Amino acid sequence: MFSHSIDGNKEKISGSAGISPIYARVNIDGPLFSKKSSFLTSFRSTYSDWLLSNINVPELYNSTAGFYDIQGKLDLYLNEKNKLLVNFYSSTDRFRLHSDTTYSYKNTIGSLILNHKFNFRLNSSTSLICSLFNYKISDLSSEDKSFTLTHHLSNYSLINDFEYNTGAGRKYIFGAEFNFYTINPGERRVIGTSNITPFYSANERALEYGVYAGTDFSLSDRLKVETGLRVSGLLSFDDGKKYMYSGNMPIEVENITDTLFTGRNKIQKTYITPEWRVSLNYSTGRFSSVKFSYNKTAQYIHMISNTTAISPTDTWKLSDVYVLPEKGNQFSAGYFKSFRRNRIEASGEIFYKMVDNIKQYKAGADLLLNDHLETEIINGKGKSYGFELSIEKSGGRIYGRIDYTYSRTLIKSVSEFSGELINNGNYFPANYDKPHNLNILATIKTSRRLIISTGIYYSTGRPVTYPVSKYMLGDQVFLQYSEYNKYRISDYFRTDLSVTVNSNLKKVKLIRSSMTFSLYNLTARKNAYSVYFKSEGGRFNAYQLSIFGTIIPTITYNMDF
Amino acid sequence: MVGIRKISVIVFITCLILVISSCVEPIVPELNNEDTKPILVVDGKITNEEGPFRVKLSNSVRVDVMYYIDPVSNAEVKIFDDKGNMFQLYSTGSGMYESADKNLKGIPGNSYTLSITTPDGMEYQSNSVLMETVTEIDSLYFEEEIRSVKTDNKIKEENWLNILLDSHDSENRIKYWYYEFEETWEVKLLTDDVPVEHNSPGSPSNITLENVMVSADKQVCWVTRSSNSILIASTVNNPVNEIKRYTVHSLGPGEDKLHIRYSILVKQSTLSPELYKFWKLLKDVNENSGGLYEKMPAQIFGNISCCDGTSRALAILPHCLLLKNGSSSISQIMM
């Protein structure tokens, strides 16, 4: 609600910079207008492209990888009752891994937030946010096979939040938000001489709204309650073309009975969902507490993801007449305790969640450049449960944190037509089901000048569907696959180590510097990014693609001023 | 100074190479034995061409071994039509079963059912499939095409020959089309020197180039091959119900089929919606281009099952097809 991000330094201009063989960063922040306001800017970039174009090494020949982002923030004091925050962020990622296809992603976000104090009890925050995301995949190498694939998501929001404190330990919050989405599902553009068919899509548009009210209060000096209701909804607009399917048949291309060409500003479908939440926090002692909570949520935008593909071509889709919103009910309970004067904090939490209308894809689903995605998606039911344990030690020379989560997410497809069911309608693991997840972080300050830190990350491999047998029909050999998501790819494991040496701190210097030596993926494990099959000489061989599958050492020189 | 610059450039490059190194390595998935158990594969068609009814039975093999044919012998195979007729099929070896009567024809309008009892006693039954009516191919023709292909940063131009067809159903009933072809081409012995393999027991085989006398009538041979990909089309969303310029086959520079004489025989059949969906799924899951446009993999079974559906067979079945053939002969094309 109220943004709590890093504010610029209001006292003096300060900043920091860092440079390593692969990338550089710089941030500067400082006061503005007689120290009541501040600004902050930062910029990060890799410069590998320029260097790569000058090197004649085969692996690098056809590869390029670049990233940059820039952020600017203004924290303006208008008067005693008003503060205006202006924020801008933009990032671009580009890469091409030893092939002719270039991927590029761009994110741009701008926001204006006005914080207004009515009186000592009531204040509000009004935000206007614009967020744009797009990606582009292109292959312009040969004239007759060139193409550019694009996907675009933009979001304009107006949010107004109010907070009212009664002074007797009771707080009320209420507000409204409007979010206008425009998504271009995917287009393929070609140049004149290309043999590839172009594909254009109309934009999907919808307005998501929410109105909410909630309150926090104490029932006793040990029991705090927080509860609220948010009514959310979606107005989905016509995009000009709608397919009609025959009534009691599955939604499939073969069952399209009519194509309606409609006006673009009509509302084709509305959804409305009340989202309740309640949470209880009970202090069992001075340093421990127990918490229970229940949440109901609705989601009107969905990520359509083809995880079997070797490349990242996830797209977004809004709910409409055929694609229902996902609704979830989540229960959780947790126990928190801190020891040794808050130096050690430990917590344990269990949760259970049920989701309706979770999106599942039919067999042979064609998810890219498809203007009737409803024929490839079926609604399913999902359940997710597990527990999370975490312990953190701060203060002193050693900082450490261990987080372990066990969680399962299972989905089953739901349809009145048995031909559409996956795995006969039984529960199967979701694409992102990773039962074990362990993260360990530790930082040791061996002296004032030397800091060693390490991270260990482990998670179970995600599910995958493998071909299990093959057979012949006519002169052709075909593969038979296992049940969907029955197998798993190899587990993910990575260790990082870094050593930071600070410059001599004896003198008070204008610029403090440090050098960091780090090793990414210390064990050089080839963590799988994707698994795919190739038919070679009568056999089907399985291959695993890993990125950064080796130790990567870097040196970074940092400066603070 | 120069030394330091050189070292830093090397460090720089090493870091870059490592950062964008992506590596592909083979893996051996560990497959559950339950999953790799052989499944009955039934390959059969009933057509309106005169000939025996034929069905081929085999077992599937594990994906991680070289493909070998595992025929099913000694099974009992019967075909029933909805007019009360039963056709018994007898084994002719290698998993092939044929009806005794060699002059049978499928009749459009009839429905057929297949029933199989395997040597180990499992009884399989297919769904009843209606044989649809058919229509003729309007025309089969060829076109030359020049494609530019990029290899190792050089752009080459290649000559290709595409074989296309047009078809339509004026009665607007046929929506799903299936094609198969048989191509035959002439090959000639170019020289009298041929490699001859000598196999004597106890010593390794020896290949030498020898001058062999071949009589004139044996110098010309013909090779025949059938289509080896799924060729299907749907006109369900096409108001005029026409197939125009459907590419049946493409011949490129790597092939010598067009050197002397070439002929292709194309057969067009009609499919029911259920069978079209089956072929399409099989094609999507097996013949996808990989990369960006990958399709979701799936377990595919056909329309034959056993024991209340607890066991399914892989099949394509009396996907009643066939009709009149269009054929075209191409000769003396210079490549």
Side-chain angles (χ1 to χ4, degrees):
Chain A
M1 261 195 318
F2 291 99
S3 50
H4 294 290
S5 46
I6 302 173
D7 284 340
N9 189 330
K10 289 203 174 81
E11 291 302 308
K12 65 175 187 65
I13 293 188
S14 67
S16 65
I19 186 161
S20 84
I22 303 154
Y23 96 129
R25 66 171 175 89
V26 63
N27 4 322
I28 304 178
D29 58 88
L32 281 179
F33 309 130
S34 57
K35 302 201 180 178
K36 287 208 181 155
S37 306
S38 68
F39 74 94
L40 189 151
T41 65
S42 66
F43 175 73
R44 297 184 292 187
S45 169
T46 56
Y47 30 80
S48 43
D49 264 7
W50 167 83
L51 199 75
L52 284 173
S53 58
N54 291 326
I55 300 178
N56 211 351
V57 172
E59 284 82 37
L60 302 181
Y61 208 64
N62 236 347
S63 302
T64 168
F67 154 84
Y68 76 80
D69 72 2
I70 180 165
Q71 173 173 28
K73 196 170 140 158
L74 286 174
D75 182 352
L76 301 167
Y77 174 89
L78 300 177
N79 58 45
E80 217 183 79
K81 297 203 177 220
N82 292 299
K83 207 161 85 141
L84 181 67
L85 297 162
V86 183
N87 214 326
F88 173 78
Y89 174 82
S90 171
S91 79
T92 303
D93 285 65
R94 261 180 100 241
F95 62 91
R96 187 170 70 221
L97 297 170
H98 197 42
S99 78
D100 290 324
T101 314
T102 309
Y103 297 83
S104 82
Y105 304 84
K106 232 174 134 74
N107 252 309
T108 307
I109 303 175
S111 66
L112 274 174
I113 305 178
L114 178 67
N115 287 332
H116 176 77
K117 227 162 123 81
F118 287 92
N119 55 49
F120 68 103
R121 286 198 200 283
L122 178 65
N123 51 40
S124 82
S125 167
T126 309
S127 324
L128 190 61
I129 305 172
C130 161
S131 157
L132 307 167
F133 167 71
N134 63 59
Y135 73 64
K136 190 161 84 169
I137 301 177
S138 57
D139 179 343
L140 303 169
S141 56
S142 78
E143 268 198 20
D144 59 330
K145 286 225 161 59
S146 75
F147 68 90
T148 302
L149 201 70
T150 57
H151 174 70
H152 175 91
L153 162 62
S154 70
N155 175 6
Y156 297 92
S157 332
L158 175 61
I159 306 175
N160 207 340
D161 300 315
F162 292 93
E163 185 179 299
Y164 180 75
N165 286 292
T166 58
R170 201 163 176 138
K171 185 165 90 169
Y172 291 97
I173 51 169
F174 51 97
E177 92 177 69
F178 298 93
N179 239 318
F180 183 71
Y181 290 100
T182 305
I183 298 183
N184 183 295
E187 292 196 328
R188 180 170 60 207
R189 296 200 151 81
V190 300
I191 56 172
T193 48
S194 173
N195 282 338
I196 305 231
T197 329
F199 183 92
Y200 301 105
S201 306
N203 286 342
E204 277 196 317
R205 295 167 315 143
L207 178 68
E208 185 187 323
Y209 61 87
V211 173
Y212 72 94
T215 175
D216 303 5
F217 59 93
S218 306
L219 263 187
S220 73
D221 57 359
R222 281 183 181 245
L223 183 61
K224 284 204 201 77
V225 178
E226 193 199 317
T227 179
L229 168 68
R230 181 167 183 265
V231 177
S232 70
L234 188 81
L235 301 173
S236 168
F237 297 104
D238 267 324
D239 66 356
K241 187 156 94 165
K242 186 155 94 181
Y243 293 105
M244 305 297 288
Y245 301 88
S246 60
N248 45 8
M249 302 277 279
I251 296 183
E252 278 170 13
V253 177
E254 289 75 41
N255 296 331
I256 292 180
T257 52
D258 205 357
T259 307
L260 296 180
F261 291 95
T262 59
R264 295 201 62 214
N265 292 321
K266 261 183 46 157
I267 297 177
Q268 60 156 304
K269 184 77 189 171
T270 61
Y271 289 106
I272 185 163
T273 318
E275 298 176 36
W276 289 100
R277 73 169 189 285
V278 63
S279 94
L280 300 167
N281 192 319
Y282 182 77
S283 302
T284 47
R286 211 147 75 101
F287 300 105
S288 62
S289 62
V290 168
K291 185 169 166 178
F292 295 96
S293 70
Y294 164 75
N295 263 309
K296 173 160 179 161
T297 50
Q299 187 178 312
Y300 304 99
I301 184 169
H302 317 279
M303 188 173 80
I304 307 293
S305 166
N306 187 349
T307 51
T308 53
I310 201 174
S311 44
T313 49
D314 298 341
T315 55
W316 295 91
K317 171 134 186 65
L318 289 163
S319 286
D320 59 21
V321 173
Y322 300 112
V323 178
L324 305 172
E326 288 186 19
K327 302 206 179 162
N329 285 294
Q330 178 167 315
F331 298 89
S332 66
Y335 177 70
F336 305 90
K337 191 167 169 78
S338 65
F339 308 81
R340 299 242 205 129
R341 282 174 291 148
N342 286 338
R343 289 242 185 136
I344 299 185
E345 285 181 6
S347 66
E349 203 169 321
I350 62 170
F351 69 93
Y352 185 82
K353 183 171 181 176
M354 302 173 296
V355 183
D356 278 333
N357 301 327
I358 203 165
K359 302 298 164 242
Q360 191 48 43
Y361 313 115
K362 296 188 195 175
D366 189 1
L367 301 175
L368 204 56
L369 298 183
N370 191 332
D371 67 348
H372 47 80
L373 268 178
E374 59 265 10
T375 56
E376 318 298 300
I377 304 176
I378 44 178
N379 294 306
K381 263 186 145 59
K383 61 183 179 189
S384 161
Y385 53 85
F387 66 87
E388 207 177 288
L389 297 169
S390 120
I391 183 160
E392 181 181 12
K393 178 205 174 292
S394 52
R397 280 177 183 256
I398 303 181
Y399 168 81
R401 195 189 163 104
I402 303 177
D403 291 300
Y404 170 74
T405 308
Y406 173 78
S407 76
R408 298 303 315 272
T409 306
L410 306 168
I411 300 182
K412 72 172 178 185
S413 54
V414 172
S415 169
E416 38 179 330
F417 307 105
S418 63
E420 289 187 325
L421 294 176
I422 309 249
N423 292 0
N424 291 323
N426 296 324
Y427 272 106
F428 58 88
N431 289 334
Y432 39 87
D433 174 51
K434 293 184 196 173
H436 303 287
N437 232 296
L438 176 67
N439 290 341
I440 301 177
L441 285 170
T443 302
I444 305 168
K445 266 198 201 143
T446 53
S447 71
R448 280 216 308 174
R449 290 187 65 181
L450 192 66
I451 303 173
I452 302 175
S453 83
T454 176
I456 300 177
Y457 311 95
Y458 170 82
S459 65
T460 322
R462 66 161 172 78
V464 71
T465 310
Y466 282 141
V468 285
S469 16
K470 48 193 178 192
Y471 58 97
M472 207 143 142
L473 290 178
D475 282 337
Q476 227 181 327
V477 179
F478 294 98
L479 289 176
Q480 174 71 351
Y481 283 86
S482 66
E483 280 186 358
Y484 192 71
N485 280 355
K486 180 157 182 185
Y487 292 92
R488 284 190 185 272
I489 64 177
S490 53
D491 296 343
Y492 183 93
F493 176 74
R494 194 185 96 227
T495 309
D496 299 337
L497 182 67
S498 81
V499 174
T500 304
V501 181
N502 284 319
S503 67
N504 197 318
L505 295 173
K506 286 204 180 115
K507 302 182 278 179
V508 174
K509 284 204 247 185
L510 208 58
I511 299 177
R512 295 185 313 280
S513 60
S514 65
M515 282 278 258
T516 305
F517 304 90
S518 54
L519 292 168
Y520 176 88
N521 198 1
L522 192 59
T523 54
R525 184 178 164 87
K526 299 192 173 88
N527 289 309
Y529 175 70
S530 74
V531 166
Y532 61 96
F533 296 87
K534 257 164 69 161
S535 166
E536 287 165 334
R539 288 181 106 113
F540 283 98
N541 295 319
Y543 291 95
Q544 168 177 292
L545 169 70
S546 39
I547 302 189
F548 300 145
T550 174
I551 304 184
I552 298 173
T554 48
I555 305 173
T556 313
Y557 177 72
N558 294 305
M559 301 180 295
D560 283 313
F561 53 90
Chain B
M1 227 34 219
V2 173
I4 292 181
R5 191 182 297 176
K6 197 165 174 192
I7 291 173
S8 40
V9 168
I10 292 174
V11 167
F12 213 143
I13 294 175
T14 317
C15 291
L16 273 174
I17 293 180
L18 292 172
V19 164
I20 51 186
S21 64
S22 59
C23 78
V24 172
E25 58 170 18
I27 53 170
V28 181
E30 269 175 42
L31 301 171
N32 193 321
N33 280 331
E34 265 298 299
D35 285 341
T36 53
K37 267 199 333 212
I39 306 178
L40 178 67
V41 180
V42 181
D43 185 357
K45 284 195 193 82
I46 293 183
T47 76
N48 65 348
E49 268 192 322
E50 226 178 65
F53 283 164
R54 263 203 202 103
V55 166
K56 184 159 171 199
L57 296 181
S58 59
N59 280 320
S60 66
V61 307
R62 289 178 66 103
V63 72
D64 49 5
V65 300
M66 275 302 281
Y67 183 74
Y68 61 92
I69 301 175
D70 183 11
V72 171
S73 325
N74 306 320
E76 212 181 272
V77 185
K78 295 189 177 108
I79 294 181
F80 297 88
D81 71 9
D82 58 348
K83 303 287 188 284
N85 296 313
M86 190 269 278
F87 307 90
Q88 177 101 31
L89 269 59
Y90 300 94
S91 170
T92 57
S94 328
M96 188 67 94
Y97 295 77
E98 270 185 27
S99 56
D101 185 348
K102 308 293 175 199
N103 296 322
L104 291 174
K105 256 208 276 205
I107 301 168
N110 280 3
S111 290
Y112 294 87
T113 312
L114 177 71
S115 153
I116 300 170
T117 306
T118 56
D120 53 2
M122 303 273 274
E123 284 177 20
Y124 290 86
Q125 185 101 31
S126 82
N127 298 340
S128 170
V129 186
L130 173 69
M131 181 140 177
E132 313 261 351
T133 51
V134 281
T135 179
E136 283 185 26
I137 295 177
D138 288 341
S139 68
L140 184 69
Y141 50 98
F142 61 89
E143 260 180 26
E144 290 177 34
E145 185 197 345
I146 298 181
R147 299 186 191 176
S148 38
V149 167
K150 183 171 175 183
T151 40
D152 298 331
N153 284 332
K154 282 187 283 257
I155 299 186
K156 252 187 356 180
E157 291 206 335
E158 294 178 347
N159 291 322
W160 283 76
L161 191 80
N162 294 325
I163 297 178
L164 309 162
L165 71 72
D166 290 345
S167 195
H168 78 281
D169 174 32
S170 41
E171 287 173 35
N172 235 323
R173 267 181 320 179
I174 300 173
K175 302 283 176 187
Y176 304 104
W177 314 74
Y178 177 90
Y179 297 99
E180 49 197 322
F181 62 80
E182 218 175 65
E183 48 180 3
T184 304
W185 67 98
E186 183 182 327
V187 283
K188 237 183 188 140
L189 258 183
L190 292 175
T191 90
D192 290 340
D193 293 325
V194 291
V196 177
E197 188 175 356
H198 301 279
N199 270 323
S200 27
S203 57
S205 78
N206 185 8
I207 300 182
T208 54
L209 214 56
E210 298 176 17
N211 191 295
V212 175
M213 268 305 291
V214 182
S215 56
D217 62 332
K218 290 211 173 80
Q219 281 182 10
V220 174
C221 302
W222 300 85
V223 187
T224 301
R225 287 270 183 276
S226 312
S227 46
N228 65 351
S229 67
I230 297 174
L231 300 165
I232 48 173
S234 151
T235 49
V236 96
N237 290 321
N238 185 335
V240 233
N241 224 37
E242 274 176 2
I243 305 253
K244 279 237 169 308
R245 299 177 57 80
Y246 179 86
T247 307
V248 175
H249 197 33
S250 279
L251 296 153
E255 311 198 65
D256 59 355
K257 296 175 182 167
L258 297 170
H259 283 180
I260 307 168
R261 205 173 203 153
Y262 176 88
S263 165
I264 184 167
L265 182 72
V266 179
K267 295 185 186 174
Q268 169 176 282
S269 343
T270 13
L271 298 174
S272 65
E274 184 199 28
L275 277 157
Y276 173 78
K277 259 212 299 266
F278 171 82
W279 281 118
K280 180 151 198 309
L281 197 55
L282 212 55
K283 186 183 172 80
D284 282 344
V285 168
N286 280 279
E287 291 179 17
N288 55 54
S289 58
L292 291 176
Y293 303 98
E294 195 94 6
K295 308 264 170 64
M296 288 286 152
Q299 267 188 321
I300 302 172
F301 290 106
N303 54 1
I304 302 190
S305 61
C306 159
C307 327
D308 299 323
T310 52
S311 168
R312 309 277 297 279
L314 298 164
I316 54 138
L317 219 312
H319 84 90
C320 308
L321 49 83
L322 221 27
L323 93 45
K324 194 106 168 37
N325 318 326
S327 89
S328 169
S329 180
I330 307 163
S331 54
Q332 303 292 353
I333 305 264
M334 294 316 207
M335 287 286 273

